[in-house]
Amino acid sequence: MNLIPQKVPFSKKLNASVLCAGVLLYLSSALFFSPNANANPEELKGVKGEITRQQKSLSHQQKELDKLQKRLKTDELSIANASKSLTQTRSSLKRSEANLKVYDKQHQELLDKTQSQAEALQKLVKPYYMMHTSAKIESFLSHESPEEKDRISQYYQHLAKQRTATITELQKTNAQLEQKNQQLVAEQQQIEALLSKQTQQLKKLRTSQANRKNTVAKIKRGIAGDHAYLNELKRNESRLKAEIAKAAKRNSVPMDGLARRKGHLPWPIKGKVLHSYGTRQSGQVYWKGVVISAQYEQPVKAVYPGTVVFADYLRGYGLVLLLDHGKGDMTLYGYNQVLTKKEGDKVTAGETIALAGDTGGRSTPSLYFELRRNSKTQNPRYWLKH
C-alpha cells in the first residue's frame, strides 16, 4: 500500500496513513457522540470529508499496488517463459551441434569407403577388360583343352560377379553419402535458425527483466511503510493458505507421508539459509519456512516422492510448486524462475522440479521451502538432514 503524506484542509497537517485514518475516525466519533462537543457544522463537514478522502486514497493506493503486483506477475511469467524457451533452445542447439559432429564423421567415413571401393573396382576392371579381350582372340587361336577353357570361363564369371558386387556397393555408399550430405545441410540450417531464435529470446528476456526491475522498484516504494508492508505480507500468506487448502481438497494422494523420513530428507537445493523458520519477517508475521540462497536456474530437487498438486504463480511467492506426499504431508517450493513440472505429475526424490530464481519480487535468487503436516507448518530443519 503506498501511504504518501498528503495535505489536509485543517490548520494542522496530518500524515495520510492508516494511523491518520484511525485518528480521523476517532475524531469523527468524538464529534458526533460526545455530549460536550461544540463542533460547528462546517467542522463536522470537514472531518467527514477528510475521512472519506483518506478512505478513497487508501483504496486507490491498494488498487495501484494490486495493479503493480499484476504487472510484476506478467513481467516474471514473461521472464520465466523466455528462460524456459532459452533453455530448450540451448538444449536443441547442443543436440544439433552433436548431430553435426556425428554426421560429419560418418560423412568422412563414407568418403573413405567410396575411395576404397573405387580403387577396388579399378583393380577389377583392368583384368576383366584384358580377359574379355583375350577371350575373343583365343576363341579363334586357342589350342587349350576344354577343361582349361572351362576353368578360364569360371574365373571370368567370378571376376564379373565381383565387379558387379563392387559397383552395387559403390552405388549404395554414394546414396548414403548423398543422404548424409542432406542431413549435414539440414542440421546446419537448424543451428542457424536456433541461433537466430536464441538472439530473439535473449532480447525479449532482457526487456522483461528491465520491466520487472522498474515494477519491483515501484512496489517497494508502495509498501515502504511498515504497516503497508505488514499488510501485504499478511495478504500474501492468506493467499498461500487458501491455495494449499484448495489443493489438499482437490487431490488425495495415497502415499506413506514423511513421518519415517524425519531428519533424513535431502535439502531441496544447496545454499546458505538466509531466513530460518520462526524468525520475524515483519511485525507479527514470522517465516513459515526457510529461505535458501541460490544461483539463477540452479536445479531445485524434490525432497521426497510425491504428486504435484499446484504449479502456478502466487503473489509474494512467485512461481510455486506444491508436492503432496500423502497423509497430509506437503512440501512447497517458491521464488522459482522456471517450473519443470506441472499439476498432476508424479515425481521421485531428487528429481528436478524447478529452476531457482527471484520471482515474487525477490531482490536476489533464492528458494522458499516450506513443509506442512495437515496444513500446519513445520520447522524444515527438523526434517532435513543435518
Side-chain angles (χ1 to χ4, degrees):
M1 206 181 301
N2 190 9
L3 305 177
I4 304 170
Q6 299 184 33
K7 293 182 180 179
V8 297
F10 303 126
S11 58
K12 294 182 180 181
K13 294 181 180 179
L14 302 174
N15 290 327
S17 63
V18 176
L19 179 61
C20 175
V23 170
L24 288 169
L25 287 170
Y26 173 79
L27 179 58
S28 174
S29 62
L31 286 169
F32 281 117
F33 301 108
S34 172
N36 298 320
N38 293 317
N40 60 46
E42 287 300 318
E43 287 176 332
L44 290 175
K45 186 178 179 181
V47 170
K48 288 171 69 178
E50 179 60 18
I51 291 170
T52 302
R53 190 186 69 78
Q54 287 289 343
Q55 288 174 338
K56 285 181 178 179
S57 174
L58 292 172
S59 176
H60 173 72
Q61 288 160 4
Q62 188 58 60
K63 285 178 181 177
E64 286 300 308
L65 180 59
D66 289 343
K67 284 181 182 178
L68 285 171
Q69 288 287 3
K70 286 178 181 178
R71 191 184 304 167
L72 178 64
K73 177 181 178 180
T74 301
D75 293 341
E76 292 188 334
L77 286 177
S78 178
I79 291 169
N81 290 332
S83 296
K84 193 172 183 178
S85 297
L86 200 54
T87 300
Q88 291 171 344
T89 299
R90 283 170 179 164
S91 296
S92 299
L93 196 56
K94 283 182 180 179
R95 284 196 299 271
S96 286
E97 287 171 346
N99 288 341
L100 194 62
K101 287 180 181 178
V102 171
Y103 293 155
D104 192 47
K105 184 181 177 182
Q106 292 173 344
H107 182 265
Q108 189 58 49
E109 288 173 352
L110 286 169
L111 281 174
D112 294 342
K113 189 177 179 181
T114 302
Q115 182 66 27
S116 298
Q117 288 172 340
E119 289 172 359
L121 183 61
Q122 189 176 8
K123 289 176 182 178
L124 288 169
V125 166
K126 188 175 180 180
Y128 178 83
Y129 173 77
M130 290 176 66
M131 285 191 67
H132 185 69
T133 304
S134 62
K136 290 181 178 179
I137 297 170
E138 288 173 359
S139 63
F140 294 102
L141 306 175
S142 178
H143 301 288
E144 285 90 354
S145 64
E147 290 81 6
E148 182 66 17
K149 288 182 178 180
D150 183 59
R151 186 185 67 78
I152 293 172
S153 175
Q154 286 181 6
Y155 178 71
Y156 174 73
Q157 290 173 10
H158 172 72
L159 201 63
K161 285 180 181 179
Q162 265 193 315
R163 185 192 66 126
T164 303
T166 304
I167 290 171
T168 302
E169 281 297 315
L170 184 59
Q171 289 173 336
K172 183 179 177 182
T173 304
N174 280 328
Q176 290 174 338
L177 194 58
E178 179 59 29
Q179 183 185 13
K180 205 56 62 180
N181 278 330
Q182 291 175 359
Q183 287 177 326
L184 278 169
V185 170
E187 285 301 328
Q188 286 170 340
Q189 291 174 343
Q190 170 78 352
I191 287 172
E192 287 174 5
L194 286 169
L195 285 171
S196 175
K197 186 178 180 182
Q198 186 180 42
T199 302
Q200 293 172 357
Q201 288 169 341
L202 273 170
K203 186 178 178 181
K204 183 180 178 182
L205 178 61
R206 285 170 185 152
T207 301
S208 297
Q209 285 173 333
N211 292 339
R212 177 191 180 275
K213 186 177 179 181
N214 293 331
T215 305
V216 169
K218 289 178 182 178
I219 289 172
K220 284 183 177 178
R221 289 197 295 270
I223 56 175
D226 291 340
H227 190 83
Y229 181 57
L230 184 62
N231 279 343
E232 180 67 8
L233 290 178
K234 286 180 178 178
R235 291 178 70 192
N236 292 341
E237 193 174 304
S238 296
R239 290 187 187 92
L240 178 61
K241 287 180 181 177
E243 289 299 336
I244 290 173
K246 284 193 285 186
K249 188 177 180 181
R250 189 170 61 245
N251 298 275
S252 178
V253 183
M255 294 182 68
D256 58 356
L258 302 172
R260 290 184 293 177
R261 298 295 298 165
K262 191 170 186 178
H264 299 286
L265 293 173
W267 285 73
I269 200 168
K270 289 182 180 179
K272 181 183 177 183
V273 175
L274 303 176
H275 299 288
S276 298
Y277 177 86
T279 56
R280 189 186 300 276
Q281 192 172 1
S282 180
Q284 297 303 308
V285 175
Y286 298 86
W287 286 103
K288 302 299 190 298
V290 292
V291 179
I292 308 166
S293 66
Q295 299 295 321
Y296 276 111
E297 298 190 358
Q298 184 178 345
V300 177
K301 312 284 188 178
V303 299
Y304 198 68
T307 300
V308 179
V309 293
F310 182 84
D312 207 343
Y313 189 94
L314 194 59
R315 180 166 162 175
Y317 299 91
L319 282 166
V320 173
L321 191 137
L322 183 65
L323 286 181
D324 192 338
H325 306 287
K327 295 190 176 179
D329 294 340
M330 291 184 171
T331 52
L332 181 141
Y333 311 76
Y335 304 157
N336 299 293
Q337 187 70 30
V338 175
L339 300 180
T340 59
K341 300 294 178 182
K342 63 184 183 302
E343 190 174 321
D345 285 351
K346 308 286 184 184
V347 300
T348 58
E351 187 174 356
T352 298
I353 54 176
L355 302 179
D358 57 4
T359 56
R362 298 289 296 174
S363 56
T364 56
S366 55
L367 173 73
Y368 177 69
F369 177 73
E370 196 176 285
L371 193 151
R372 288 178 178 254
R373 303 204 79 198
N374 297 316
S375 299
K376 293 182 180 179
T377 60
Q378 304 282 308
N379 188 340
R381 285 188 180 273
Y382 297 152
W383 292 83
L384 299 170
K385 291 178 181 177
H386 299 295

